[in-house]
Amino acid sequence: MIVEGSVRPPGDKSITHRGFFLAAMLSSRAEIRNPLSSLDVRATARILRQVGVEISPVRGGRSVTVRGSSDRWRAPAGSLHCGNSGTAARLMLGALAGQRFEARITGDGSLRRRPMRRVTIPLREMGVRVAEERGDGLPLRVRGGVLHGVTYRSPVASAQVKSAILLAGLGGGVPVTVVEPARSRDHTERMLQFLGFPVATAGAAVSLDGSMRTGRLGPFTLEVPGDLSSAAFLVGAALLSDGGELRIENVGINPTRAGFLDVVARMGGTIEQHDRRVVCGEPVADLVVRPSTLSATEVRSDEIPGLIDEVPVLAVLATRASGETVFRSVGELRVKESDRLGLIASNLRSIGVVAEVHGEDLSVVGTDQPLRGSVETARDHRLVMAFAVLGSQSGAAIELSETASADVSYPGFFRDLHQIGGGSWTVK
């Protein structure tokens, strides 16, 4: 395929979620511009409405107005159903920590299988009461109230865990410190700083004094940049194309999220950053991508927190790189929307690629042979988009089990992929 033209990916999912939560807790009126309008984000809007927050309809291409303040939240009439969104569930646990009512949080079958104790353990240390209905997962019943501060050493580098604790400290008015084994994405800290809160960082430790009085409690406007995790699939399509040039506009290039770009550059990918700027505390640029000859690399364990969501598309790129690419310590992929680690390897094998999982490591051997076969996505949005990119390559014949799950994070993905020149896969 030949790529051409320019495309603007949807708003950043992580930043949209956090913008909704902070606006709901802090502001009499906030305008969120360029929010993502995916199923996950709509789940966040839905559960916030259930506790009394006013949120305008979440529709593609429109700003969203949020009228909140956590002192006006109320007990929900029914369960808070988070759909497939782990971010919605985990951040809501933190946001509810300072509330004195009980709420039940649940989700779909996939989300109910995802671990929640990584969040509930530190919240319990702060004084939140948590009742589990079925072990380490949803549904959960939580009751917050008067909290005490905590210094928590997280066993995993997780922006969701860190953000839940920061929101709990904010809502409960108590100081919190989170120390991670490696620094995870820092959108929550940046947004708090943008709103005037004194967030202190030292290496992989983040501290917040917990006082709402130190930040901006009045109206504010937040501009959401394009999602790098979504843009990564467009980058992959352009790198594997036969010719042309693709411009991807308004992409967030936060250093704690940009590990994907570093690995692609190490593999020989040609990506230029144009018009670098800072928008509402987040670094942004336009990416210009050209077809490239790729070489294998080793993705180190310390790099994984900054690119965990991009491993599927990097694994796809590794299939067309010369040599064996190894991803170290990617066991966290087993507890995503699917067993993403096992499915990456099994699906690659089903289309003719040598791919193996060794403990928590994934290895992929590149090939120049045409790739053909069926792919089971397990309704995992990142898997369906990654293998669609591979199916767009000249000579490929890949059959996807479904395409609807892309709407979880990138509504309009297949339209955009067609627009830039891709689209040769089939669907069962």
Side-chain angles (χ1 to χ4, degrees):
M1 79 171 178
I2 305 296
V3 293
E4 59 183 357
S6 62
V7 65
R8 181 170 288 231
D12 189 283
K13 183 157 73 83
S14 295
I15 295 174
T16 303
H17 279 299
R18 286 155 174 79
F20 281 14
F21 274 106
L22 284 174
M25 294 177 70
L26 299 175
S27 179
S28 57
R29 185 185 186 280
E31 182 185 4
I32 314 297
R33 296 178 178 172
N34 192 42
L36 179 63
S37 61
S38 71
L39 296 176
D40 274 12
V41 168
R42 290 175 183 174
T44 285
R46 182 176 60 247
I47 62 175
L48 287 172
R49 291 187 188 111
Q50 284 183 257
V51 297
V53 180
E54 295 179 28
I55 302 180
S56 63
V58 181
R59 295 172 180 159
R62 296 188 181 182
S63 296
V64 172
T65 301
V66 182
R67 298 178 186 272
S69 283
S70 58
D71 59 356
R72 298 200 298 271
W73 285 23
R74 61 172 185 263
S79 296
L80 302 175
H81 199 295
C82 301
N84 189 240
S85 178
T87 306
R90 290 169 175 152
L91 268 61
M92 192 59 165
L93 285 168
L96 288 170
Q99 300 293 334
R100 301 191 181 193
F101 54 75
E102 182 178 274
R104 182 178 185 268
I105 300 179
T106 189
D108 67 11
S110 172
L111 183 57
R112 290 196 299 272
R113 291 191 295 270
R114 298 179 68 178
M116 292 293 153
R117 285 179 184 161
R118 56 182 56 182
V119 174
T120 60
I121 286 172
L123 293 182
R124 279 175 165 143
E125 290 184 19
M126 297 177 70
V128 179
R129 283 173 282 177
V130 180
E132 298 177 346
E133 295 186 18
R134 50 176 298 276
D136 185 12
L138 299 178
L140 292 171
R141 292 184 182 273
V142 296
R143 182 183 290 273
V146 178
L147 305 181
H148 48 264
V150 69
T151 296
Y152 183 68
R153 294 187 175 275
S154 177
V156 295
S158 167
Q160 293 179 3
V161 174
K162 175 175 61 178
S163 297
I165 297 171
L166 291 173
L167 292 182
L170 192 66
V174 296
V176 292
T177 297
V178 185
V179 184
E180 300 181 285
R183 191 181 182 193
S184 63
R185 59 183 63 177
D186 66 355
H187 299 305
T188 303
E189 300 96 292
R190 285 177 180 267
M191 199 174 296
L192 286 167
Q193 289 170 334
F194 169 69
L195 295 174
F197 289 89
V199 179
T201 60
V206 178
S207 298
L208 176 69
D209 72 6
S211 173
M212 285 194 182
R213 293 187 300 274
T214 60
R216 186 188 311 171
L217 299 182
F220 67 85
T221 298
L222 179 72
E223 296 272 357
V224 180
D227 196 316
L228 178 57
S229 295
S230 294
F233 299 103
L234 305 175
V235 169
L239 291 171
L240 296 182
S241 66
D242 299 316
E245 176 181 283
L246 178 65
R247 188 180 191 94
I248 310 172
E249 300 175 340
N250 193 48
V251 180
I253 53 169
N254 183 308
T256 62
R257 288 280 298 283
F260 166 76
L261 298 177
D262 296 334
V263 171
V264 167
R266 201 160 70 226
M267 295 175 75
T270 303
I271 306 177
E272 298 174 356
Q273 296 182 12
H274 294 189
D275 190 20
R276 292 174 61 101
R277 63 254 190 214
V278 175
V279 179
C280 297
E282 290 282 347
V284 178
D286 296 346
L287 305 180
V288 176
V289 191
R290 300 182 184 90
S292 303
T293 300
L294 303 178
S295 299
T297 190
E298 178 179 348
V299 184
R300 306 183 309 272
S301 58
D302 64 299
E303 295 179 290
I304 296 302
L307 52 76
I308 187 69
D309 288 337
E310 289 75 62
V311 171
V313 70
L314 284 171
V316 159
L317 292 176
T319 68
R320 310 315 263 169
S322 60
E324 180 181 14
T325 296
V326 179
F327 300 85
R328 302 292 184 191
S329 302
V330 288
E332 179 72 8
L333 291 174
R334 292 197 183 279
V335 291
K336 291 293 187 178
E337 287 83 339
S338 65
D339 175 4
R340 198 173 280 171
L341 177 56
L343 283 169
I344 290 171
S346 63
N347 281 318
L348 288 177
R349 289 194 295 269
S350 75
I351 61 173
V353 177
V354 176
E356 299 292 340
V357 176
H358 305 281
E360 294 198 343
D361 297 346
L362 169 68
S363 66
V364 180
V365 179
T367 176
D368 57 5
Q369 296 301 305
L371 300 179
R372 298 175 180 177
S374 297
V375 168
E376 174 53 59
T377 71
R379 301 195 64 80
D380 186 317
H381 57 126
R382 301 205 191 277
L383 292 183
V384 71
M385 290 188 283
F387 282 95
V389 165
L390 200 52
S392 295
Q393 193 180 27
S394 298
I398 292 177
E399 183 182 60
L400 304 173
S401 60
E402 55 82 33
T403 59
S405 62
D407 287 350
V408 167
S409 61
Y410 193 161
F413 167 72
F414 287 95
R415 177 203 63 216
D416 287 351
L417 191 56
H418 276 294
Q419 175 188 322
I420 67 173
S424 61
W425 62 88
T426 59
V427 183
K428 290 181 182 178

